[in-house]
Amino acid sequence: MTIEPTELQEDIRAALGCSGEVGAAIAAHAVARQYPARAVILRYGDRLGHAWLVVAGRAQALVYGLDGQMVLVHEYRTGDFFGAVAAIDAPPAEADVVAADPTRAACLSSTDFMMLLDRHRSLSLLLVRSLLEQLRGASARMVDRTTLSAPGRVYAELLRLARLGDGTAIRPAPVHAALAVRVQSTRETVSRAVSALERRGIVRRDEDALVIVAAQRLEELVV
């Protein structure tokens, strides 16, 4: 499906919350990209010559640990930038970037992206905001991995995912294997932890969501 330039411009403006002028400037230099779920956007070691702005969907930067376990490094949501966003001579990609959901993005050459940052101060501020959010997310995951038990990490991630929505429901309900990657654990551990919450009435499954019934009780289990 082809995305018209005016549609891309509106997608960019909505994703960033920027002015129409900035959205038009980015769209004039960007190419619309669409990725089905599980499609590889970047591979580890790729030379970075482009920057991506997620306008819809979700992508994840993933690496494999020494034990072969997949580790989530970053998650990119609507309004996030990744790729060659810091310099024209960016280093090779440090992780695979994979579409976690069907994802739409605006892709720009690193040269054009740096030119736009120079011309539009508001875009520079939006980039800083995106990178800070990514840093906070990475720091939180690192702290969780070193201070919490495996079930505690599951409970903390459920609370975090719920807060990305209305604070009580995770839509769609998280797949256990995907949740295991997020918390650097195993699918079996995640399944046991979530099942225990369901038995205790702390969470329940609706048709399309995992609903947190007792958030305070769940927070008390984050240890």
Side-chain angles (χ1 to χ4, degrees), residues 164-177:
L164 291 172
D166 61 8
T168 60
I170 305 170
R171 290 188 172 86
V175 176
H176 289 174

Side-chain angles (χ1 to χ4, degrees), residues 3-15 18-28 55:
I3 297 178
E4 297 298 327
T6 53
E7 184 181 351
L8 177 60
Q9 175 181 334
E10 181 55 30
D11 282 346
I12 292 170
R13 190 202 62 76
C18 62
S19 67
E21 177 189 2
V22 172
I26 298 172
V55 297

Side-chain angles (χ1 to χ4, degrees), residues 103-117:
T103 298
R104 301 202 315 274
C107 181
L108 307 88
S109 72
S110 56
T111 302
D112 286 341
F113 187 64
M114 296 301 291
M115 177 270 293
L116 289 168
L117 290 174

Side-chain angles (χ1 to χ4, degrees), residues 3-215:
I3 297 178
E4 297 298 327
T6 53
E7 184 181 351
L8 177 60
Q9 175 181 334
E10 181 55 30
D11 282 346
I12 292 170
R13 190 202 62 76
L16 288 177
C18 62
S19 67
E21 177 189 2
V22 172
I26 298 172
H29 294 86
V31 175
R33 301 291 190 196
Q34 300 190 78
Y35 304 95
R38 296 184 294 280
V40 177
I41 302 172
L42 279 172
R43 292 191 182 278
Y44 173 82
D46 282 354
R47 294 298 305 181
L48 294 178
H50 292 79
W52 282 261
L53 165 65
V54 179
V55 297
R58 183 169 55 96
Q60 294 178 326
L62 303 166
V63 297
Y64 287 91
L66 294 176
D67 57 358
Q69 186 174 356
M70 191 178 291
V71 178
L72 175 66
V73 180
H74 293 295
E75 184 162 77
Y76 308 111
R77 293 178 176 269
T78 300
D80 284 340
F81 295 92
F82 65 89
V85 298
I88 293 175
D89 57 342
E94 298 177 343
D96 291 340
V97 178
V98 179
D101 301 320
T103 298
R104 301 202 315 274
C107 181
L108 307 88
S109 72
S110 56
T111 302
D112 286 341
F113 187 64
M114 296 301 291
M115 177 270 293
L116 289 168
L117 290 174
D118 186 57
R119 291 184 180 178
H120 299 279
R121 180 173 176 271
S122 61
L123 179 58
S124 298
L125 294 175
L126 290 168
L127 173 61
V128 169
R129 183 182 68 184
S130 171
L131 296 178
L132 284 175
E133 287 297 325
Q134 293 174 35
L135 178 60
R136 290 191 189 101
S139 297
R141 283 189 292 273
M142 181 180 68
V143 170
D144 287 353
R145 288 168 187 165
T146 56
T147 62
L148 298 179
S149 65
R153 295 199 300 274
V154 176
Y155 305 148
E157 190 63 24
L158 292 177
L159 287 166
R160 189 175 295 123
L161 289 172
R163 287 164 184 155
L164 291 172
D166 61 8
T168 60
I170 305 170
R171 290 188 172 86
V175 176
H176 289 174
L179 191 56
V181 172
R182 300 180 67 91
V183 301
Q184 201 174 346
S185 187
T186 65
R187 183 185 60 81
E188 292 77 14
T189 297
V190 171
S191 180
R192 287 194 297 270
V194 175
S195 295
L197 295 178
E198 292 183 78
R199 288 195 302 271
R200 298 171 68 177
I202 296 174
V203 303
R204 74 167 188 271
R205 287 187 180 274
D206 282 353
E207 186 173 321
D208 65 340
L210 184 70
V211 179
I212 297 179
V213 179

